[in-house]
Structure formats: structure tokens, C-alpha cells
Amino acid sequence: MAIAFLCNKDLTVPFEAAARRMQAQGEAVVWLSPSTRWTNWLVARGWPRAAIDNLPDHRRVWETMSEAQARDRLAPFEAEPTMMANNIVRMCRGLVRRPPARALAYLAVAATSIDRFCSDADVEVIIGEATWGFELTAWLVAQKRGIAHLNMVRTRLPNDRSCLVDAVR
């Protein structure tokens, strides 16, 4: 069983420190990365490339995928009406600016890649945010797989505290 961390601009650095501590305690750790920049950053810090699902590796697939193919691939992840791919496109500042067919193809490739990687790595929990399209798609995958998708929550009162909240269930 493994713990998957989602890379993003604000949390990858602190997540990497937490992942090291978890790994030192015997936990298997893998990474879901939406950018080659973060993948390279992790590899430079000693994380094995095989432990990182780098979404840009699949760019040619989403660039050539039709909207119909994307919708077919996304259908298994939209079984629950709580979140649909079109909602993710509308909520993501990056995807909403893209043509709908390209945005849906990106999400379809992200969903199938994350799902396959989580299956291969036997991921039991995903830790990250649910802000960008990539992260929300990981949430859909977690929901489909019946695993936790934990989000960092920070409070300032009564004193500075952080916790992880299950965003799927």
C-alpha cells in the first residue's frame, strides 16, 4: 500500500518534507505530478522517477483525443453526480480558458493515468488539494476507487494547527 501526494505550486515543498518522514516510518510514497518542473524537482531530491506519474508524459494523447473519446474515458469517473468533468473545467482557472474538447481530453488522460498509476502502486490515500483541474480529477479517481483524498486544512485559532480532511466521503 502507498500514499500518493499531489504536486502543486504551494504544497509540493512541505509535502516532500512530510513524505520523507512517512517514508522513514516505512510508508511507500508515490507522486502525482501535473508538471515536468515538479517531477524534475522531485527527482533532483532523490525520488525515483518510477514513483512519479508525470502527466505531461501523456500530452500527445490528450492533444489528439476527440471530445467524444474524452467523454467516453471520463464516464466511469462520473458515476456519482457530485462532480462532473464539465464542472471541473468551469472551476479550473487554467482549463476554463481552453477549448472544451481540449480541456475534457486533458481531464480524460489525467483520470486514466492517475487511476492506472494508483492501481499499479496500490495507493490507499491521496494527499493534496482540490483546486486545479488535475487535483479535482484525482478527487474523482479517489471517489471511484473508494480511497481517501485528504486535503490540508489550517486554522489559526486557538493556535496554529493543521490537519488533513477527507474530501471524498
Side-chain angles (χ1 to χ4, degrees):
M1 299 263 183
I3 297 170
F5 282 90
L6 286 167
C7 295
N8 78 13
K9 73 177 192 73
D10 293 323
L11 292 174
T12 304
V13 175
F15 280 170
E16 198 271 342
R20 289 273 176 222
R21 289 190 298 276
M22 290 178 176
Q23 189 180 48
Q25 299 275 331
E27 294 291 339
V29 174
V30 296
W31 295 87
L32 303 170
S33 178
S35 82
T36 302
R37 177 180 156 237
W38 281 119
T39 297
N40 292 340
W41 186 86
L42 290 165
V43 169
R45 276 151 188 77
W47 291 96
R49 181 60 182 83
I52 306 166
D53 183 21
N54 184 53
L55 188 59
D57 290 348
H58 311 288
R59 182 182 193 118
R60 288 185 190 191
V61 178
W62 80 69
E63 287 180 340
T64 59
M65 184 181 293
S66 72
E67 185 172 347
Q69 290 171 314
R71 289 187 185 283
D72 285 346
R73 279 199 185 185
L74 287 164
F77 300 96
E78 296 182 313
E80 296 291 325
T82 54
M83 179 68 68
M84 305 299 274
N86 285 331
N87 301 113
I88 293 174
V89 171
R90 287 185 189 101
M91 291 187 313
C92 178
R93 292 182 304 235
L95 292 177
V96 75
R97 291 179 265 170
R98 306 250 186 274
R102 289 286 65 84
L104 290 172
Y106 172 85
L107 294 179
V109 171
T112 54
S113 177
I114 292 167
D115 190 45
R116 183 175 36 253
F117 189 80
C118 286
S119 176
D120 292 349
D122 198 20
V123 170
E124 60 185 322
V125 63
I126 297 172
I127 298 175
E129 278 192 332
T131 304
W132 296 96
F134 173 78
E135 297 162 338
L136 291 165
T137 302
W139 181 84
L140 280 181
V141 171
Q143 185 174 358
K144 175 186 173 264
R145 298 184 69 73
I147 63 174
H149 182 285
L150 303 180
N151 289 237
M152 179 75 72
V153 175
R154 187 171 181 178
T155 63
R156 294 188 182 144
L157 297 172
N159 64 19
D160 203 20
R161 296 178 186 183
S162 295
C163 66
L164 295 171
V165 176
D166 189 342
V168 175
R169 296 176 199 168

